[in-house]
Amino acid sequence: MRSGYESSPQSSTWTSFATHIGGKAESWLVNQQYFWKLGNTLLERQMSWANFVKEGAPHWEDRQITESLLQSKPWISDIYAKKLFKDIPEIAIIRQRGRPRKINPFNSIT
């Protein structure tokens, strides 16, 4: 939604939001453990999920997600990245934009 591709979470065809708030039912969708912990009844869970999505991610988390998406990097914890990408750890490292700075050996302080 932030990118402008969707007008609302309900209209998105790429998320499970509509199903989780009681809209269209998807037979293939399995509610995960975190969804069941949102309330004792289905209505409580649906309302909790709608409020959760409405609040959005904290600013720092939103920035991390955006950086990961822009660089086509997975948004996962450092610990999990080290386990998952142990053979090629640089795949999960998020670097600053642009070329790395050149190191000039003639101007370096020794």
Side-chain angles (χ1 to χ4, degrees), residues 4-53:
Y5 291 113
E6 299 287 350
S7 60
S8 69
Q10 294 92 332
S11 65
S12 176
T13 56
W14 299 103
T15 70
S16 61
F17 182 78
T19 302
H20 280 109
I21 62 165
K24 63 178 182 173
E26 298 287 354
S27 58
W28 53 267
L29 183 66
V30 176
N31 290 327
Q32 300 296 320
Q33 184 178 4
Y34 68 88
F35 183 74
W36 289 99
K37 291 181 178 182
L38 292 175
N40 292 326
T41 67
L42 178 60
L43 183 60
E44 284 178 1
R45 289 189 291 273
Q46 290 170 344
M47 290 175 63
S48 294
W49 186 255
N51 288 333
F52 172 74
V53 171

Side-chain angles (χ1 to χ4, degrees), residues 51-107:
N51 288 333
F52 172 74
V53 171
K54 183 179 177 183
E55 287 175 17
H59 179 69
W60 63 270
E61 190 174 78
D62 189 38
R63 190 175 64 243
Q64 285 181 348
I65 293 168
T66 302
E67 287 174 6
S68 294
L69 287 171
L70 289 174
Q71 297 184 17
S72 298
K73 302 286 183 181
W75 183 60
I76 55 177
S77 72
D78 292 338
I79 294 169
Y80 185 66
K82 287 178 184 176
K83 289 179 184 178
L84 187 63
F85 302 110
K86 62 183 173 189
D87 297 332
I88 44 173
E90 64 275 0
I91 200 169
I93 296 171
I94 297 193
R95 296 185 177 89
Q96 295 295 324
R97 294 177 84 177
R99 294 180 99 180
R101 295 182 77 110
K102 270 189 174 178
I103 299 174
N104 187 347
F106 300 111
N107 293 335

